[in-house]
Amino acid sequence: MRILIFGGSFNPPHLGHIRSVQTAAAALGPEKIFLIPASVPPHKELDPDSPSAAERLRMTALAAAMIPGAEALDIELRREGKSYTADTVCELKARYPDDELIFLLGTDMLITFPTWHEPETIAANASIAVFSREKGRQAEIERAADILRDRYGATVYVIPGEPVEASSTAIRALLRARGGAELLPGEVYAHIIQKRLYGAKPDFEWLRREAYAYLAPKRVAHVRGVEQEALRLAERWGADPGEAAEAAICHDITKRLDHDEQLRLCEKYAIMTDELERASEKLLHAKTGAALASALFGLSTDTAIAIRFHTTGRPGMTTLEMITYLADYIEPGREGFAGLKELRKACYEDLDRAMELALRMSLDEVRGKGSPAHINSVSGHAWYLNNLRRRGLAPVRAEGIPDTVG
Ligand code: ATP
């Protein structure tokens, strides 16, 4: 039996790794494939903000799931000290004495192989397979392979194929700048975003795709509108545009769920609710949306709170909360209700005046339907009204909207 072994920091595992293993597996036909993350890589210092070895193992397992017959092994994580390949190969040889072990590596590792810890032990117990990381280095690879054959009597397979030119180091930088998704296996990327590993922030195209999958198709245009409006408001009021966009993209993620599904999410995420909320899907979706979007996409606390209060508002909202609440109210797709024109104007002139008007409009609408208003909206309105008085400002007058709430 042939066993293909691929070791690395896998910090994180990327599509370059996957391509290398898939191409080598197609050429060599191994029965088993082991991906082995190093606990303490001997060749490089891990970045101080690297996730734990257990986390790298988990990502490696997610990557292995993309390759038929592959699994992630924790063999190096269970050993103390530096993770020498020689030790790993000996341990695997003891487990599989009659099989051919083939250690797969990239060009950079092939060239430095003679400087590794006990290269002769590795070569005595395993064959070497090399897959180029970059295009056009074939002659250099052949020369390095010959050195290993001559010096250690190693069996070396040079695997031809098109590499995916990627490195974990470059990907970590891309992740912080909302990039990198196209260089990572989907499940690995989703995991990184969920845990916000490496200080990653979600790629907006990816986040939209993921979040929109939860929406009824007719709601997508609204959510796009809220994102556009939230970005304009963030620019106007100096808020973080990334957080404003994330809140907007995710704000209605549970809107489509029925009452029972909303209540199940409340139970799952231990969400406290009052009597009025329990009776209303509209009120519940803000809370369940914040919890679900946080669990899926690792939102910051500030972003989650902006989603949580996007339906009722509350006293003393942060700029991000006000932007999310108001963008939802005035996005370009909204039309045909009293007060909208005045509210749109106020949103770009004074956030306190805009919030007072928006909450007044909302309370007027709720009461007009004979429904009870939520305490957060009532106290929120009183807070903003008081704030205007304190600042010596008059509330906005809007046609068709009462000047005071009853
Ligand atoms: P870093 O950027 O931190 O150096 P890396 O991208 O080289 O990381 P490692 O986990 O250190 O990833 O590499 C594990 C193995 O995968 C090594 O043998 C390396 O040569 C090989 N490798 C890495 N990237 C590629 C790639 N794009 N194509 C083929 N092999 C690769």
Side-chain angles (χ1 to χ4, degrees), residues 6-21 41 44-46 103-110 116 131-134 163-172:
F6 195 42
S9 310
F10 299 134
N11 191 26
H14 53 67
L15 291 182
H17 297 131
I18 305 273
R19 170 70 57 82
S20 176
V21 177
K44 56 182 91 170
E45 285 277 308
L46 289 177
F103 190 79
L104 173 64
L105 35 72
T107 341
D108 51 333
M109 292 292 141
L110 177 77
W116 289 19
F131 183 73
S132 180
R133 295 182 66 145
E134 310 93 1
V164 174
E165 295 195 6
S167 82
S168 299
T169 305
I171 289 171
R172 290 194 299 273

Side-chain angles (χ1 to χ4, degrees), residues 83-98:
S83 306
Y84 290 120
T85 300
D87 296 342
T88 303
V89 165
C90 287
E91 206 174 321
L92 287 173
K93 194 67 191 170
R95 273 196 225 172
Y96 302 99
D98 303 324

